[in-house]
Amino acid sequence: MSISPEVYGPTALVTGASAGLGLEYSKELARKGFSLVLVARRKDRLEALAEECRELGSPRIDVFPLDLTEKASCSFLTNQIMEKKIPLGLLINNAGFGKYEAFFESSLSEQLQLLDLNARVPLELTHRLLPILKSRPRSGVIILSSIVAHLPSPYFANYSATKGWDLLFAEGLYHELRPYRVDVLAVLPGLTTTEFHDVAGIRKDKIPFPFRKAPQVVQTSFRALGKKAAVIDGKRNKIMVFLARFLPRSWVGLLNAKVLKR
Ligand SMILES: NC(=O)c1ccc[n+]([C@@H]2O[C@H](COP(=O)([O-])OP(=O)(O)OC[C@H]3O[C@@H](n4cnc5c(N)ncnc54)[C@H](OP(=O)(O)O)[C@@H]3O)[C@@H](O)[C@H]2O)c1
């Protein structure tokens, strides 16, 4: 199944569109002729992206500068989509962040915000928007997980747990929604060059592994949608997750503790 406005369109909603993967998903969808609903907090970035996407071929763009962790944001967004009768065929639950720090030293409110953005928001948006998605001849829901969903991650425990949640949520929904022709996909990137590591407080120059590029993750996602429940981006990442399956989970946690030690 190829990604086109005829199959998964005419409109795609991208959360976290102002940077990194969300920005690349939006530009690629614009090139393919999708109309777009762009969501993130930074209004100026969204407006600049909307301009670029219009030039790339997007027929209609709606911009919603919202903090999705505010409790009313998901219902507000859904109501706007219904009021404006936006024909949504693709939902990309991409907004997310991580924090690299000792859990006991971290701010509880920030940890709860992380849990909220990475888990509650995709749940709430998917639940609220499913009636619209199910009404389309075919539709899709992409949820950004991570390879750390398979890897217990000291100093990143809450983040990796939310990504595990994203993976299981998507894998469950994949089978449940197939009869309604709603294709669900969890995308598991590894290290990818975006603003993620700056926000997380990780120095990229200290990481001795190669990074993938955001457009590669987008291509991986679009190739896998409709074919499987979950996809790992990149050969190295696939091999790492495959090898981790043969080790006791406690060993994986221990190894990761050595790699991630602050
Ligand atoms: N990069 C990686 O190595 C990597 C690896 C595995 C998984 N992932 C996952 O990929 C997804 C995208 O991350 P990225 O790498 O593209 O990071 P990024 O460059 O930091 O982008 C994150 C996006 O989320 C938005 N966002 C953050 N907080 C928000 C909030 N409260 N409300 C609305 N939007 C918010 C940001 O926009 P504003 O600041 O303007 O709100 C931004 O557009 C995340 O779910 C992440 O967990 C990334």
Side-chain angles (χ1 to χ4, degrees), residues 15-23 25 39-46 66-70 93-98 113 117-118 121 143-148 159 162-163 166 187-200 211-212 214 217:
T15 68
S18 63
L21 291 170
L23 186 132
Y25 278 116
V39 186
R41 291 167 302 183
R42 285 170 288 182
K43 189 176 177 203
D44 51 339
R45 291 255 198 132
L46 289 181
L66 287 174
D67 181 342
L68 286 167
T69 62
E70 281 177 12
N93 285 301
N94 163 77
F97 76 98
Q113 203 187 6
L117 185 65
N118 295 5
V121 167
I143 300 174
L144 267 292
S145 173
S146 162
I147 59 164
V148 298
Y159 175 73
T162 61
K163 294 293 139 177
D166 290 329
V187 177
L188 283 69
L191 293 167
T192 308
T193 307
T194 65
E195 293 174 14
F196 178 87
H197 301 88
D198 303 328
V199 175
F211 278 64
R212 299 264 297 168
V217 178

Side-chain angles (χ1 to χ4, degrees), residues 191 193 197-198 201-211:
L191 293 167
T193 307
H197 301 88
D198 303 328
I202 299 171
R203 281 187 54 186
K204 282 190 232 153
D205 58 322
K206 295 265 173 200
I207 301 176
F209 303 109
F211 278 64

Side-chain angles (χ1 to χ4, degrees), residues 70-144:
E70 281 177 12
K71 287 288 182 280
S73 290
C74 293
S75 57
F76 170 78
L77 187 57
T78 312
N79 290 342
Q80 289 289 306
I81 287 169
M82 293 214 253
E83 266 170 38
K84 293 181 176 201
K85 296 194 172 35
I86 295 176
L88 193 72
L90 185 60
L91 167 62
I92 305 192
N93 285 301
N94 163 77
F97 76 98
K99 278 285 156 189
Y100 173 54
E101 58 193 345
F103 180 69
F104 73 91
E105 286 172 354
S106 67
S107 136
L108 177 60
S109 67
E110 195 168 53
Q111 293 289 347
L112 289 170
Q113 203 187 6
L114 190 157
L115 178 63
D116 225 34
L117 185 65
N118 295 5
R120 181 197 51 89
V121 167
L123 178 147
E124 185 174 347
L125 270 186
T126 305
H127 193 277
R128 287 187 183 277
L129 293 169
L130 260 177
I132 302 176
L133 294 168
K134 272 170 60 189
S135 73
R136 311 294 310 164
R138 183 160 215 115
S139 59
V141 177
I142 292 178
I143 300 174
L144 267 292

Side-chain angles (χ1 to χ4, degrees), residues 100 150-155 208-209 239-241 243-262:
Y100 173 54
H150 290 288
L151 312 168
S153 302
Y155 307 100
F209 303 109
I239 292 168
M240 200 199 310
V241 170
L243 292 177
R245 283 202 197 122
F246 294 100
L247 293 175
R249 281 177 79 81
S250 60
W251 290 19
V252 179
L254 207 63
L255 278 174
N256 232 1
K258 289 202 190 309
V259 174
L260 291 168
K261 196 166 170 39
R262 292 178 63 84

